[in-house]
Amino acid sequence: DGGITQSPKYLFRKEGQNVTLSCEQNLNHDAMYWYRQDPGQGLRLIYYSQIVNDFQKGDIAEGYSVSREKKESFPLTVTSAQKNPTAFYLCASRGQTHQPQHFGDGTRLSIL
Amino acid sequence: AQKITQTQPGMFVQEKEAVTLDCTYDTSDQSYGLFWYKQPSSGEMIFLIYQGSYDEQNATEGRYSLNFQKARKSANLVISASQLGDSAMYFCAVNQFYFGTGTSLTVIP
């Protein structure tokens, strides 16, 4: 089945540590997105990519980094500069403009 | 900048009744798209319905319909014949990646 796979489902980060969240899609979509969701809140855009080897900052990019070396993959690194990383992270992809996004099941990140 | 406002943090509806979830938006774009998503407690986001700004008719998708009032910048979701499985968070979004804060819907048996 086509879809988006995020891993791991749960992740714990120690102080000063970088962690990477995986996002893979087999929908042949060009656009991919990373969102952060805090409890009781909506989704806030971290980074997005419209095409391979290109990505743009969203509203809350500080403390995060991404890469888009392959069409299928859009990993997100939460760096030690992100002082409050505890949240639910959602990855999404989209085909043509005005088509809905397809979301992964999310990764819950917590600080140890 | 684009802003989405969902003024109802929580809503209750009796099973089999209809419910309207409010969404207003602010965008300077002439052409834009409006989306509604459902998020159950498990966390995944499920697409429900889409309305284009130039669509003359309100969108419908099964039990979901969109009450689109362009001049008022309003795109309310109407769920007819509510089911227990409709209990979830509902998010309005404009132009793909601007989301409101959501409305928690609880369907009462």
Side-chain angles (χ1 to χ4, degrees), chain B residues 35-55:
Chain B
F35 301 80
W36 276 91
Y37 292 88
K38 171 184 177 181
Q39 187 179 41
S41 57
S42 51
E44 76 270 25
M45 295 285 283
I46 302 166
F47 165 71
L48 297 177
I49 196 167
Y50 164 79
Q51 177 85 43
S53 59
Y54 285 105
D55 293 341

Side-chain angles (χ1 to χ4, degrees), chain B residues 16-103:
Chain B
K16 300 179 185 176
E17 297 291 313
V19 62
T20 298
L21 307 183
D22 295 341
C23 173
T24 58
Y25 57 92
D26 188 11
T27 178
S28 56
D29 292 348
Q30 293 300 309
S31 175
Y32 51 90
L34 295 154
F35 301 80
W36 276 91
Y37 292 88
K38 171 184 177 181
Q39 187 179 41
S41 57
S42 51
E44 76 270 25
M45 295 285 283
I46 302 166
F47 165 71
L48 297 177
I49 196 167
Y50 164 79
Q51 177 85 43
S53 59
Y54 285 105
D55 293 341
E56 294 188 354
Q57 291 197 341
N58 286 341
T60 61
E61 196 71 52
R63 294 187 299 112
Y64 305 108
S65 61
L66 212 152
N67 183 2
F68 180 49
Q69 298 184 51
K70 189 172 180 178
R72 298 181 60 187
K73 294 191 174 180
S74 167
N76 299 337
L77 176 71
V78 180
I79 305 174
S80 63
S82 297
Q83 302 171 356
L84 296 178
D86 293 335
S87 294
M89 287 290 294
Y90 289 81
F91 292 95
C92 176
V94 68
N95 283 344
Q96 295 290 354
F97 47 68
Y98 296 100
F99 286 78
T101 53
T103 294

Side-chain angles (χ1 to χ4, degrees), chain A residues 6-98:
Chain A
Q6 287 188 243
S7 62
K9 194 173 180 68
Y10 299 94
L11 187 59
F12 298 91
R13 195 192 89 170
K14 295 179 181 178
E15 291 281 346
Q17 186 183 42
N18 293 352
V19 291
T20 297
L21 284 60
S22 171
C23 178
E24 303 277 334
Q25 55 102 356
N26 60 4
L27 299 166
N28 200 33
H29 286 168
D30 286 317
M32 296 188 75
Y33 307 83
W34 272 108
Y35 297 92
R36 170 179 172 142
Q37 186 178 27
D38 292 284
Q41 299 295 315
L43 278 63
R44 291 186 291 168
L45 183 66
I46 305 172
Y47 268 98
Y48 67 100
S49 169
Q50 305 274 42
I51 197 168
V52 175
N53 291 323
D54 186 55
F55 47 83
Q56 307 296 328
K57 291 182 179 180
D59 295 330
I60 55 165
E62 186 173 348
Y64 301 97
S65 66
V66 294
S67 63
R68 187 85 187 275
E69 297 176 1
K70 299 186 301 180
K71 188 175 187 177
E72 302 79 17
S73 179
F74 191 41
L76 173 74
T77 296
V78 184
T79 74
S80 56
Q82 173 50 248
K83 298 306 179 187
N84 184 23
T86 297
F88 186 54
Y89 291 86
L90 282 161
C91 178
S93 72
R94 175 182 59 80
Q96 298 178 5
T97 305
H98 294 322

